[in-house]
Amino acid sequence: IKGSYILKKMNLNELDQYLELINSVLLKSAVKINKWREKFMLEVLLLYLIIPGRINFLQPGRYGRFGEQRYRQQFGRRFDWLSFNANLAGSQIGNRVAIAFDPSYISKSGKCTPYLGRFWSGCARMAKRCLEISGIGLIDMDLHTCFHLEAVQTPPAKTLEQVKYTLIDWYLHVPCTRKETLQRLANYVVADAYFSKSTFVYGAFEMGFHVISRFRDDAYFRYLITEEPTGKRGRPKLYDGKIEMEHLEEDRFEIVNLENGQGRILSAVVHSRSLNRNIRLCIHFLFFKCPVVNSISMG
């Protein structure tokens, strides 16, 4: 089975190093736990490594040193996973990092499941009765990987209406309540095209984050005037025409040629009409053909 295979591949020194790393992170993180809680967390993280398939409370009771009831009781207590994972990832990351934020659909049915509602499924391209979590990760561009930090369950629309929240308000609430920990890691938030709207971008900017996202295909951008004011009467001209994706004026952009035939990037500071602000626009041409429009919000 999977657990036996992992134990065979890991010798005792590697297992000791794994437990020592987890223990050191528990001590360094802001999580306040006693010795009993510390032993329990070491036990659980080891069991998650070796138990095959899906894990419920019966399996740790079967494979672990404690009874099933203790696992249920301990999981009922709050644990600061964000602080723990941030300290764990902080010892491995480089300098080029960003926060990833992505709501994820989880298939689930039943009448007694908390926060069950209708959420958008990207695979089905429709809203379905399910659960949703807001996944927070840390992207390392040098290691080409993402470290998971925390998953926060999204309340359904009826629950949000009771506190007068929209879905975007909730998505802003999640990083807002965790911004001190997140901003110690990075100030850039990467999200998909759903979040390239003014409500989310302005809310994130007020928290001290910059948003990297993809625009809609019909987004409206304008070139900025680079000439000095003429001194004539009237307000100086701010914009110099709409950006036509089919007829780009490449002399207005900084051009970056990517290695290994991955195309090129055209970059410039332009004005976005939907966001009503100047942004850093990046247009990625895959193999010099299809443009993909991304942006970094700027103050």
Side-chain angles (χ1 to χ4, degrees):
I1 61 176
K2 177 184 173 183
S4 300
Y5 176 76
I6 292 176
L7 289 178
K8 288 180 181 178
K9 297 290 287 186
M10 294 179 65
N11 57 41
L12 291 177
N13 290 332
E14 291 174 337
L15 188 59
D16 290 340
Q17 290 175 4
Y18 171 76
L19 294 176
E20 184 179 348
L21 174 63
I22 298 299
N23 192 34
S24 64
V25 173
L26 286 171
L27 295 175
K28 291 179 182 177
S29 64
V31 184
K32 302 298 182 183
I33 57 175
N34 54 29
K35 285 291 183 180
W36 286 103
R37 184 70 166 170
E38 181 183 330
K39 289 181 180 179
F40 174 79
M41 294 306 302
L42 290 171
E43 173 82 4
V44 166
L45 293 172
L46 180 60
L47 290 175
Y48 265 77
L49 183 67
I50 64 175
I51 293 179
R54 292 192 175 185
I55 301 176
N56 53 30
F57 290 118
L58 293 175
Q59 290 172 314
R62 182 181 305 155
Y63 290 94
R65 295 181 297 173
F66 309 120
E68 174 196 344
Q69 190 62 30
R70 179 169 183 182
Y71 289 103
R72 292 182 181 273
Q73 292 173 349
Q74 289 290 330
F75 269 89
R77 298 173 57 185
R78 181 175 175 80
F79 183 78
D80 190 355
W81 286 106
L82 177 63
S83 177
F84 174 81
N85 289 325
N87 280 276
L88 183 60
S91 61
Q92 309 294 326
I93 61 174
N95 295 321
R96 300 195 304 162
V97 295
I99 303 298
F101 183 80
D102 186 27
S104 299
Y105 161 89
I106 299 177
S107 178
K108 181 67 176 177
S109 60
K111 297 181 179 179
C112 298
T113 304
Y115 285 177
L116 192 67
R118 295 190 64 82
F119 297 100
W120 179 260
S121 170
C123 295
R125 295 186 177 275
M126 61 182 294
K128 298 178 67 176
R129 185 171 174 81
C130 61
L131 299 176
E132 184 185 83
I133 59 168
S134 298
I136 306 174
L138 182 65
I139 301 172
D140 190 310
M141 285 165 278
D142 295 321
L143 296 178
H144 302 286
T145 189
C146 181
F147 297 91
H148 173 74
L149 296 178
E150 190 178 15
V152 184
Q153 191 170 354
T154 305
K158 291 183 179 180
T159 305
L160 293 176
E161 288 174 359
Q162 294 176 1
V163 294
K164 299 181 180 179
Y165 263 36
T166 64
L167 195 56
I168 287 291
D169 291 334
W170 172 259
Y171 290 148
L172 285 170
H173 173 77
V174 172
C176 181
T177 54
R178 297 158 175 81
K179 65 179 182 179
E180 293 184 3
T181 303
L182 296 177
Q183 288 177 350
R184 286 199 294 266
L185 300 171
N187 290 323
Y188 290 91
V189 175
V190 180
D192 61 21
Y194 175 82
F195 297 96
S196 62
K197 52 186 65 175
S198 59
T199 49
F200 185 84
V201 171
Y202 276 84
F205 189 74
E206 289 177 359
M207 288 184 248
F209 291 107
H210 297 278
V211 178
I212 303 175
S213 182
R214 184 185 184 279
F215 276 103
R216 290 173 41 159
D217 294 338
D218 60 349
Y220 191 104
F221 307 109
R222 290 180 285 191
Y223 295 108
L224 299 180
I225 290 292
T226 56
E227 295 82 6
E228 294 293 330
T230 60
K232 297 181 180 180
R233 294 179 61 185
R235 183 184 180 185
K237 189 177 179 181
L238 298 178
Y239 313 118
D240 196 17
K242 180 183 177 182
I243 299 177
E244 299 288 347
M245 292 299 166
E246 296 80 9
H247 307 286
L248 290 173
E249 300 178 25
E250 295 191 5
D251 57 332
R252 295 175 178 261
F253 292 86
E254 301 174 19
I255 301 177
V256 179
N257 293 315
L258 303 178
E259 299 177 354
N260 302 323
Q262 296 180 2
R264 60 177 180 168
I265 293 177
L266 273 63
S267 175
V269 178
V270 301
H271 182 266
S272 168
R273 190 165 69 174
S274 62
L275 299 181
N276 193 26
R277 67 186 303 140
N278 295 341
I279 62 166
R280 168 69 65 175
L281 178 70
C282 297
I283 306 174
H284 182 199
F285 284 85
L286 300 174
F287 304 104
F288 298 91
K289 290 183 180 180
C290 304
V292 179
V293 182
N294 298 305
S295 72
I296 300 176
S297 65
M298 300 181 62

